[in-house]
Amino acid sequence: MLTAGQVLQLIRDGSCRTRKELIELTGLSRSTITDRVDRLIDAGYIHESGVGTSGGGRPPSVLDVDATQRLMLVADLGATHARVALTDLAARPIAEESTEMRIELGPDAVLSWVREAFQRMLDRVGRPAGEVCGIGLDLPGSVDHTTGRVIRSFLMPGWDDHPVREAIGTTFDVPILVENDANAMALGEWWSFWRDTDSLVLIKVSTGIGTGIILDGQIYRGVEEAAGNIGHVRLRETDDRVCTCGSRGCVASLASGHALATDLGVASSRDVVRLVQAGDPGAIAGVQEAGRTLGVVLATAVSLLNPGVLVLAGDMAETREHYLTGIREIVYRRSLPYTTRNLEIVTTSLGDRAGIVGMAVIVMEHVLSPASVDAALADKANAVN
């Protein structure tokens, strides 16, 4: 017998839009479907949004997800930036705020800003914290998404094993999900533009290099939550440059925004982008060569995963395709033709909002999952009793 949460999934995915369709598809009695639907309406998960086509008699009411009564808060934290957003339950933005902030300031300072920014957005739109049903936050490192702790990050001193979920939970008593930033960005791109493809690989090249992998519409994290660490594949073990991980010759030490900034004598990856956009020939040549270097590893990823899309994101996506040109050159040269026949290699469409969108989708899918909905309905019933 289907639960109310499972009935909600049938409405969400478009399988059923009316009570009659639910009865016909599930085989449940009219009274059972009425009970499930009424509980979902009473709890604010769905509403009657119009009338459907009638086969005779009174037209049936159309059931739809009510995305307006609940709110979600999400944060995207990079090496040098922080962005937060308030969205509805359909992951549509209501308010956003961003700032330049270095993740190396440490968890206390960064997460304090996040908590305060969350409250500022709620105050700005005049919505109470009690309407927030879930929070999501991504970070530039390997994350244990079941515990909400950072496993390891070479860009985040002081963050290892920090209880991120508990730190945010001091202000908000709702489910709090923590994810790697490249994973969130990959899901955001896939959800927004590429849901017709089974697999997508997103490469974020900013201060460092991270990769998010989507397989069959789901984030692939790996056994140790470490899938996508392309930046620390070693290409030249005798290279003089030492990577942030302590090894020599890693892709990140050769092709990341930090590596390019060091080679060009500027402070950051964003300075590299400004040089390229200004037409500096040395910067353009360096960016293209960095793309070729990363392309060596990505050619292997293409042969291994056979994705439908490679998405370049992060600061290097803003170099007017110069970095992307280097990637394309090597991937197409080193991969078998049939693995790239239908491969699209593109820059991000969401830009610096990819992480925010991805985290909103992650929270939305969690909050509206059958298990979460049934648990919330049970809690509501127990509170009444």
Side-chain angles (χ1 to χ4, degrees):
M1 181 163 303
L2 295 182
T3 67
Q6 290 168 327
V7 168
L8 176 60
Q9 299 314 301
L10 295 175
I11 297 171
R12 286 188 68 205
D13 65 23
S15 298
C16 300
R17 299 300 305 279
T18 67
R19 290 174 175 83
K20 181 180 179 181
E21 290 177 357
L22 285 166
I23 293 168
E24 292 174 348
L25 180 66
T26 65
L28 296 176
S29 68
R30 180 176 298 276
S31 61
T32 299
I33 288 298
T34 297
D35 171 71
R36 304 287 191 268
V37 169
D38 287 350
R39 290 170 63 200
L40 290 170
I41 291 175
D42 183 57
Y45 285 106
I46 61 175
H47 61 171
E48 296 174 322
S49 60
V51 293
T53 303
S54 173
R58 192 174 71 176
S61 297
V62 174
L63 304 172
D64 202 359
V65 175
D66 188 348
T68 63
Q69 294 196 38
R70 288 174 169 80
L71 302 173
M72 302 187 297
L73 289 165
V74 290
D76 168 48
L77 303 179
T80 60
H81 78 272
R83 179 182 293 271
V84 293
L86 175 69
T87 80
D88 66 12
L89 201 49
R92 295 179 297 229
I94 297 171
E96 292 191 13
E97 183 175 330
S98 62
T99 188
E100 297 290 319
M101 179 179 293
R102 301 195 69 84
I103 199 75
E104 62 191 30
L105 288 174
D108 291 340
V110 173
L111 296 179
S112 290
W113 181 87
V114 170
R115 289 193 301 268
E116 292 165 3
F118 282 167
Q119 190 59 55
R120 281 196 299 271
M121 289 189 297
L122 289 168
D123 293 342
R124 192 184 315 149
V125 301
R127 302 287 291 269
E131 292 184 7
V132 175
C133 64
I135 292 175
L137 182 146
D138 71 45
L139 295 160
S142 295
V143 171
D144 184 340
H145 77 285
T146 61
T147 65
R149 291 173 178 258
V150 177
I151 300 172
R152 69 189 70 82
S153 176
F154 306 114
L155 297 175
M156 301 168 60
W159 284 80
D160 283 4
D161 203 38
H162 188 80
V164 175
R165 180 180 295 166
E166 288 82 352
I168 298 296
T170 59
T171 307
F172 299 93
D173 184 21
V174 295
I176 298 170
L177 308 179
V178 185
E179 186 56 80
N180 167 264
D181 61 344
N183 286 346
M185 294 171 72
L187 185 63
E189 290 285 336
W190 179 83
W191 178 269
S192 300
F193 301 102
W194 300 103
R195 274 187 270 180
D196 58 346
T197 189
D198 290 333
S199 60
L200 173 149
V201 174
L202 177 139
I203 311 94
K204 179 189 177 185
V205 187
S206 291
T207 302
I209 297 177
T211 306
I213 303 169
I214 303 297
L215 297 178
D216 294 329
Q218 302 292 322
I219 294 173
Y220 178 73
R221 299 181 176 88
V223 175
E224 300 295 339
E225 305 267 358
N229 269 317
I230 282 179
H232 298 290
V233 173
R234 297 170 70 179
L235 293 181
R236 307 173 190 169
E237 296 192 15
T238 59
D239 195 277
D240 291 337
R241 282 170 286 194
V242 178
C243 182
T244 52
C245 71
S247 298
R248 296 180 183 273
C250 291
V251 176
S253 70
L254 304 170
S256 68
H258 175 73
L260 284 163
T262 300
D263 290 344
L264 294 169
V266 294
S268 69
S269 57
R270 295 186 183 182
D271 293 323
V272 174
V273 172
R274 282 188 277 270
L275 286 175
V276 170
Q277 292 177 345
D280 183 280
I284 291 172
V287 163
Q288 290 178 342
E289 183 59 28
R292 295 186 192 99
T293 299
L294 180 56
V296 172
V297 180
L298 290 179
T300 301
V302 167
S303 297
L304 181 66
L305 299 173
N306 189 206
V309 190
L310 281 180
V311 181
L312 174 65
D315 291 342
M316 291 304 108
E318 300 177 24
T319 61
R320 296 175 182 167
E321 292 222 348
H322 289 297
Y323 199 105
L324 196 68
T325 296
I327 290 175
R328 283 181 175 143
E329 176 186 332
I330 299 301
V331 168
Y332 286 127
R333 182 195 303 171
R334 294 198 174 204
S335 303
L336 289 170
Y338 71 86
T339 64
T340 58
R341 182 172 51 205
N342 296 307
L343 175 66
E344 297 197 55
I345 305 178
V346 300
T347 54
T348 170
S349 297
L350 291 173
D352 57 11
R353 297 192 67 256
I356 284 290
V357 173
M359 283 311 307
V361 171
I362 289 170
V363 176
M364 175 184 69
E365 291 297 310
H366 175 82
V367 170
L368 293 179
S369 69
S372 294
V373 171
D374 290 333
L377 292 177
D379 288 344
K380 180 179 173 66
N382 291 334
V384 171
N385 295 331

